[in-house]
Amino acid sequence: MTGPSNHPTAMKIAVIGQSLFGQEVYCHLRKEGHEVVGVFTVPDKDGKADPLGLQAEKDGVPVFKFARWRAKGQVLPDVVAKYQALGAELNVLPFCSQFIPMEIINAPRHGSIIYHPSLLPRHRGASAINWTLIHGDKKGGFSIFWADDGLDTGDLLLQKECEVLPDDTVSTLYNRFLFPEGIKGMVQAVRLIAEGKAPRLPQPEEGATYEGIQKKETAKINWDQPAEAIHNWIRGNDKVPGAWTEACEQKLTFFNSTLSTSGLVPEGDTLPIPGAHRPGVVTKAGLILFGNDDRMLLVKNIQLEDGKMIPASNFFKGEGSSALELTEVELAIAEAVRSAWQRILPNVLEVEDSTDFFKSGAASVDVVRLVEEVKELCDGLELENEDVYMASTFGDFIQLLVRKLRGDDEEGEYSIDYVEMAVNKRTLHMPHQLFIGGAFIDAEGAKTFETINPTDGSVICQVSLPQVTDVDKAVAAAKDAFENGLWGKISARDRGRLLYRLADLMEQHQEELATIEALDAGAVYTLALKTHVGMSIQTFRYFAGWCDKIQGSTIPINQARPNRNLTLTRKEPVGVCGIIIPWNYPLMMLSWKTAACLAAGNTVVIKPAQVTPLTALKFAELTLKAGIPKGVVNVLPGSGSLVGQRLSDHPDVRKIGFTGSTEVGKHIMKSCAVSNVKKVSLELGGKSPLIIFADCDLNKAVQMGMSSVFFNKGENCIAAGRLFVEDSIHDEFVRRVVEEVRKMKVGNPLDRDTDHGPQNHHAHLMKLIEYCQRGVKEGATLICGGKQVPRPGFFFEPTVFTDVEDHMFIAKEESFGPVMIISRFTDGDIDAVLSRANATEFGLASGVFTRDINKALYVSDKLQAGTVFVNTYNKTDVAAPFGGFKQSGFGKDLGEAALNEYLRVKTVTFEY
């Protein structure tokens, strides 16, 4: 709108002032139909124009930037001439820092009106908002008055008031009321003038005050006063100029003060403050200060003498913190924000991570501009002005921004007490404490246990041993994250984005994770890269893709005539889940269950096996770096009898996912029923049959038969517990198997040519020795192996038994180790061998090798197992459901079916 308006009450207005407030008033006046004939604003500073002038120039409105309006007490004729040429009927001064001569003030027909951020006559002067807070006023507000030759003494046109909240600062009071309502007030005042209804009410002298401009040198804290007065002084100077004191041989400026200290205990590091009634105390909540009445106040942020703003709780801490690793999308956002900084800071040749926003010339108006630019760049992300002050360097600002984009608006700093170890040509950084509510902490009573390296029996490190109280803390954190946290508020697509990021981080740390698996679980490193870790990454990526595809359905039902009905179902997360993980694939088993659990929107407490805790704790660290909100994932390494039992019994846990023995699974199932009828899925023991027919590809059958037993040292839930070999090829099959076994290299799992590493832990090694001794005692033929390898560590020889009869212990019970159990069956007797294969209470997996497709289909149809492999073995995939029959459990991991284990279906019926 550049020409005169036909609005019946439109006026010609000169806007004199500056800032975003001035810009907003200018824009609203134009929308009201008034003609802004000219804008008078301040000269450009460091090459940057004021927002009011910028907007007016875009609109084609004449803009004047006088450095001064008068000289030697006399108005400058050139200034008056340029002003009078505009023909303004009213001057509007929304915010003006310049002294405007009375010749200009009185020139228009309607005179001039000015905005002032206090309830005049109280707090005349330039620091009115500061003094409203410093004096502890319960009411604040603004005045719009007719300008005269006094200092904020003109007749009142309009006033509006608001409540001053106990913890208001200059910024919060301004942003909540003075800015938005002030704009409306200025527009309303102009409307009243245009309609001839504007009052002129003389200001009363009673209650009038005048206070000078608050400056840094006058903002020093006087400690000889009550806590409330100190609090008012701090908040009244927040953010500018900043209330300060001297302590620790430097000037400290305090921000974000509160008198809400209920429940705070002044325990922590003391901060001596000269002149203070008592020393300050640095706590986890911030800095506790004391007035001369012994009451407490809390300060949350401190600015150091070098200008760096820090959380007050970190005053005595170092600056080290773990930086987030940015995704490609986040890196692109960072570069866009860098360009915004460059535009705001034209005098900076190149914005680097160390570039300080304020030391580079930015002012408070630039803070607002940066916040608004970020909002546009980041789809409406809301930043506070305080965020810019808290992270004034570009690197810190990007870290803060990314944390907010990921849904974690805490300060983002976390400390991890790593165990460091040089292994596999790298330095491992391994967390060893409990992970609860987004923090690594010691167990109750600082209890620990040793985790052992199975390669040599040495102690890797001490790991925190959780107690019942720790389980309760973890469940409480998970429940709070589910019910009140950001996890339940973000969209399903954003949830998937976080899981994709977690998978990316796992991939970036793939070699470190695989090395930890080799160190802690004895996994062969090359296998750990591909399977233990590789499949874990694939699992999280697969379920990340499911997050926004979990959907219900609409169902036709009988109508309630003459009305109609609509029935729909919703799939919802169940809540807090407990996941109990075995020791054979520590990370992969965690991933199989946790990925589906999180994709469905639940929160989780993970209990890794006590003998293999380290990759789970490293995984916990990666969830922090990925930006998974605090409390969503919690990890408690410890005993099943304590941690697992408490999770099964806990009334706030709504689902248990367990992989382990059938005996323990039955106990968990009972506990889940008795406690709160919680949902449960069980992947239990197995004695998986593998049937090898004479018409098979024998070379492949030998190769896959070896893998079916010896893969991952036999510590494999679907390992072929018993091989049935057709009589006519039995001897040749055994000969070839023994030949291949003798080629296997048993050795250090970190060596690249190792085929077979140590068993997971000493107790399991002893169990295998006893298992083989029993097989020999019952009459099975031990072809090779059966003994511990004579070297340090928990190594066991790959073992082959033949002549195993159906009644024998080793024919019925799984070894969970590198023990091949071979039995013959009569040529052509398919039904007999099927009967023997199914004569077990287990039904996890099975396999068949044959070239006859009809035979393969018939056998796969008859085998009573959750998975049947045909001419292959161990071929699991993240998209294929996995789980057992009979006493091998129920419920599924992997595939779409796994999601249902962590969802509940709600039916909603409408009538209309």
Side-chain angles (χ1 to χ4, degrees):
M1 186 184 301
T2 56
S5 169
N6 293 323
H7 193 284
T9 57
M11 290 189 295
K12 293 183 177 181
I13 295 174
V15 177
I16 305 175
Q18 64 208 69
S19 80
L20 282 172
F21 184 75
Q23 177 190 355
E24 287 296 313
V25 170
Y26 157 86
C27 290
H28 280 74
L29 290 175
R30 283 168 52 85
K31 287 178 183 177
E32 284 274 303
H34 301 292
E35 180 187 0
V36 177
V37 294
V39 165
F40 297 82
T41 188
V42 292
D44 295 355
K45 181 180 179 182
D46 297 326
K48 293 179 292 183
D50 183 81
L52 170 59
L54 275 176
Q55 186 63 51
E57 287 173 347
K58 288 180 183 178
D59 296 335
V61 173
V63 176
F64 304 89
K65 302 178 181 180
F66 299 137
R68 55 181 181 170
W69 292 70
R70 59 183 184 170
K72 297 181 180 179
Q74 299 298 315
V75 65
L76 297 172
D78 181 56
V79 169
V80 173
K82 288 180 179 179
Y83 171 81
Q84 289 179 338
L86 299 174
E89 299 173 294
L90 173 70
N91 292 332
V92 174
L93 284 72
F95 172 73
C96 183
S97 62
Q98 295 179 308
F99 183 84
I100 310 302
M102 291 307 297
E103 289 86 345
I104 303 296
I105 292 293
N106 294 328
R109 176 163 62 97
H110 293 293
S112 302
I113 60 170
I114 302 177
Y115 171 90
H116 186 79
S118 80
L119 295 173
L120 292 173
R122 190 162 173 79
H123 306 308
R124 293 167 175 164
S127 296
I129 310 176
N130 303 76
W131 289 104
T132 297
L133 298 170
I134 291 170
H135 282 279
D137 292 359
K138 304 304 180 186
K139 294 288 183 181
F142 62 84
S143 305
I144 298 171
F145 67 95
W146 300 94
D148 65 4
D149 58 358
L151 186 61
D152 303 331
T153 58
D155 292 345
L156 297 174
L157 189 160
L158 180 151
Q159 285 187 315
K160 291 189 178 182
E161 69 174 35
C162 69
E163 180 184 4
V164 178
L165 302 178
D167 289 339
D168 262 331
T169 64
V170 174
S171 296
T172 61
L173 184 57
Y174 183 73
N175 292 332
R176 188 181 78 250
F177 184 82
L178 298 177
F179 182 89
E181 295 302 320
I183 294 166
K184 296 176 187 176
M186 288 296 283
V187 174
Q188 180 184 352
V190 172
R191 190 181 301 135
L192 289 172
I193 294 170
E195 294 172 351
K197 299 177 181 178
R200 290 177 177 265
L201 306 173
Q203 289 190 36
E205 284 306 310
E206 183 180 353
T209 64
Y210 172 81
E211 296 94 0
I213 296 175
Q214 274 299 87
K215 298 179 180 179
K216 192 70 175 182
E217 56 267 27
T218 62
K220 186 175 182 179
I221 299 170
N222 171 18
W223 293 105
D224 190 20
Q225 52 185 337
E228 184 175 0
I230 296 173
H231 163 67
N232 288 337
W233 184 263
I234 293 173
R235 69 185 182 125
N237 287 281
D238 183 345
K239 288 288 188 220
V240 178
W244 60 275
T245 192
E246 292 173 342
C248 293
E249 299 182 348
Q250 64 173 314
K251 183 182 290 185
L252 303 179
T253 306
F254 296 150
F255 300 99
N256 203 348
S257 171
T258 179
L259 289 172
S260 300
T261 58
S262 177
L264 280 182
V265 179
E267 294 180 354
D269 297 321
T270 58
L271 176 64
I273 301 174
H277 182 65
R278 288 171 57 181
V281 182
V282 176
T283 70
K284 290 183 179 180
L287 173 62
I288 293 177
L289 301 171
F290 298 89
N292 61 10
D293 56 355
D294 271 332
R295 285 189 61 200
M296 297 190 299
L297 63 144
L298 180 72
V299 166
K300 296 180 181 179
N301 304 120
I302 299 176
Q303 187 176 42
L304 306 180
E305 195 160 7
D306 62 5
K308 183 175 179 60
M309 187 86 78
I310 64 169
S313 58
N314 288 357
F315 182 74
F316 288 116
K317 296 180 182 178
E319 295 185 11
S321 66
S322 298
L324 295 179
E325 300 184 37
L326 272 57
T327 65
E328 290 184 7
V329 172
E330 289 164 349
L331 288 170
I333 292 172
E335 289 309 306
V337 175
R338 192 188 302 272
S339 298
W341 276 51
Q342 195 73 66
R343 291 191 295 273
I344 296 170
L345 305 172
N347 294 333
V348 177
L349 295 178
E350 184 177 357
V351 174
E352 301 175 340
D353 283 355
S354 59
T355 300
D356 188 285
F357 193 68
F358 300 103
K359 291 181 180 179
S360 300
S364 57
V365 66
D366 300 309
V367 173
V368 178
R369 178 180 170 187
L370 178 59
V371 168
E372 292 303 311
E373 290 225 26
V374 167
K375 185 186 293 186
E376 289 188 6
L377 290 170
C378 301
D379 298 326
L381 177 72
E382 294 287 347
L383 288 183
E384 301 292 336
N385 292 359
E386 182 182 59
D387 293 325
V388 184
Y389 289 97
M390 287 291 293
S392 60
T393 67
F394 181 78
D396 290 345
F397 183 79
I398 291 299
Q399 289 284 307
L400 177 144
L401 179 62
V402 169
R403 286 190 174 93
K404 285 185 174 289
L405 286 170
R406 293 180 182 182
D408 184 356
D409 61 359
E410 297 294 328
E411 65 191 57
E413 295 187 3
Y414 49 90
S415 65
I416 302 176
D417 182 21
Y418 292 111
V419 172
E420 296 187 0
M421 187 175 292
V423 182
N424 199 23
K425 298 180 180 179
R426 67 182 60 252
T427 299
L428 302 179
H429 297 84
M430 299 179 289
H432 64 99
Q433 297 167 291
L434 312 183
F435 184 68
I436 299 175
F440 286 96
I441 62 173
D442 288 336
E444 182 76 21
K447 294 184 181 296
T448 63
F449 66 94
E450 296 177 344
T451 188
I452 305 298
N453 181 351
T455 301
D456 58 12
S458 63
V459 175
I460 301 171
C461 64
Q462 296 288 328
V463 178
S464 293
L465 180 65
Q467 306 302 298
V468 170
T469 53
D470 296 310
V471 182
D472 292 344
K473 288 177 188 175
V475 172
K479 184 181 181 184
D480 184 62
F482 181 77
E483 295 180 351
N484 306 311
L486 290 163
W487 189 241
K489 296 180 176 68
I490 62 176
S491 69
R493 192 158 297 161
D494 285 340
R495 186 164 69 242
R497 180 173 55 84
L498 290 173
L499 295 186
Y500 275 123
R501 183 182 295 121
L502 177 58
D504 290 343
L505 281 167
M506 292 170 72
E507 187 169 54
Q508 292 169 27
H509 291 265
Q510 186 168 1
E511 293 180 350
E512 183 179 19
L513 289 165
T515 302
I516 297 173
E517 289 279 73
L519 188 71
D520 199 30
V524 173
Y525 175 72
T526 51
L527 177 65
L529 275 175
K530 178 181 183 297
T531 302
H532 291 240
V533 182
M535 193 173 187
S536 300
I537 296 165
Q538 293 174 26
T539 303
F540 272 98
R541 288 205 173 117
Y542 174 79
F543 282 107
W546 268 110
C547 288
D548 60 355
K549 301 170 188 67
I550 298 170
Q551 54 196 20
S553 57
T554 56
I555 302 170
I557 65 170
N558 289 335
Q559 308 289 352
R561 297 177 181 177
N563 292 341
R564 299 175 64 82
N565 293 97
L566 170 66
T567 293
L568 56 88
T569 59
R570 295 181 57 185
K571 292 184 177 180
E572 301 177 342
V574 297
V576 178
C577 300
I579 291 180
I580 303 171
I581 303 302
W583 44 258
N584 57 326
Y585 293 104
L587 184 63
M588 191 173 80
M589 292 294 99
L590 177 154
S591 300
W592 280 21
K593 296 182 189 301
T594 304
C597 174
L598 296 179
N602 301 285
T603 58
V604 65
V605 179
I606 301 169
K607 192 210 85 66
Q610 188 167 352
V611 292
T612 53
L614 295 181
T615 43
L617 293 171
K618 189 67 182 179
F619 168 82
E621 177 195 342
L622 297 181
T623 67
L624 273 182
K625 291 187 175 182
I628 304 292
K630 295 176 182 179
V632 172
V633 174
N634 306 270
V635 179
L636 301 177
S639 71
S641 60
L642 191 151
V643 179
Q645 185 64 56
R646 180 56 181 156
L647 287 173
S648 301
D649 292 337
H650 204 293
D652 291 331
V653 174
R654 293 297 171 186
K655 158 71 197 260
I656 291 288
F658 172 74
T659 296
S661 72
T662 298
E663 179 185 4
V664 174
K666 290 178 179 179
H667 184 78
I668 286 175
M669 190 173 176
K670 181 179 179 180
S671 297
C672 289
V674 171
S675 58
N676 59 347
V677 197
K678 57 175 61 73
K679 195 171 184 177
V680 62
S681 55
L682 305 171
E683 195 245 283
L684 308 176
K687 188 66 176 175
S688 301
L690 174 57
I691 304 172
I692 301 175
F693 289 99
D695 62 357
C696 71
D697 178 339
L698 189 56
N699 287 332
K700 186 174 184 182
V702 170
Q703 174 195 354
M704 299 306 295
M706 290 281 293
S707 173
S708 74
V709 174
F710 300 121
F711 189 82
N712 197 46
K713 311 164 292 175
E715 297 169 353
N716 188 17
C717 51
I718 58 171
R722 192 174 180 193
L723 278 66
F724 294 92
V725 182
E726 200 160 10
D727 197 48
S728 59
I729 63 167
H730 174 274
D731 293 348
E732 178 62 15
F733 179 85
V734 171
R735 185 191 68 78
R736 292 194 189 187
V737 163
V738 172
E739 186 178 281
E740 292 300 316
V741 166
R742 287 174 176 155
K743 294 177 185 177
M744 293 174 67
K745 179 187 174 183
V746 178
N748 190 323
L750 290 170
D751 291 345
R752 302 307 191 260
D753 58 348
T754 292
D755 299 304
H756 189 83
Q759 304 310 133
N760 186 276
H761 53 281
H762 184 263
H764 183 53
L765 173 66
M766 294 298 101
K767 178 185 172 185
L768 289 174
I769 294 171
E770 181 183 348
Y771 183 92
C772 291
Q773 289 172 346
R774 186 162 179 177
V776 172
K777 185 177 181 180
E778 290 187 345
T781 301
L782 179 63
I783 300 297
C784 62
K787 300 187 296 294
Q788 181 176 358
V789 178
R791 60 174 289 169
F794 311 142
F795 292 87
F796 188 77
E797 295 175 341
T799 300
V800 178
F801 276 101
T802 61
D803 303 321
V804 179
E805 303 296 332
D806 294 353
H807 68 276
M808 294 179 180
F809 176 81
I810 64 173
K812 295 184 290 184
E813 300 295 331
E814 73 174 328
S815 67
F816 213 66
V819 182
M820 183 177 284
I821 308 296
I822 302 176
S823 299
R824 296 172 181 268
F825 70 93
T826 305
D827 289 350
D829 199 344
I830 298 175
D831 288 330
V833 74
L834 277 170
S835 178
R836 296 170 69 190
N838 287 330
T840 173
E841 275 300 301
F842 300 112
L844 189 57
S846 59
V848 56
F849 277 82
T850 177
R851 285 193 174 99
D852 185 337
I853 185 62
N854 294 316
K855 188 186 297 182
L857 288 169
Y858 179 78
V859 171
S860 64
D861 184 51
K862 295 296 183 180
L863 283 168
Q864 298 170 8
T867 296
V868 180
F869 298 109
V870 179
N871 294 328
T872 187
Y873 208 87
N874 287 326
K875 183 59 180 174
T876 55
D877 187 89
V878 295
F882 179 92
F885 294 170
K886 300 188 284 190
Q887 291 195 44
S888 287
F890 53 84
K892 296 296 181 183
D893 290 327
L894 305 179
E896 181 182 1
L899 291 167
N900 294 326
E901 305 298 330
Y902 299 94
L903 293 166
R904 61 188 182 190
V905 177
K906 177 183 289 183
T907 301
V908 182
T909 298
F910 297 85
E911 188 165 312
Y912 59 97

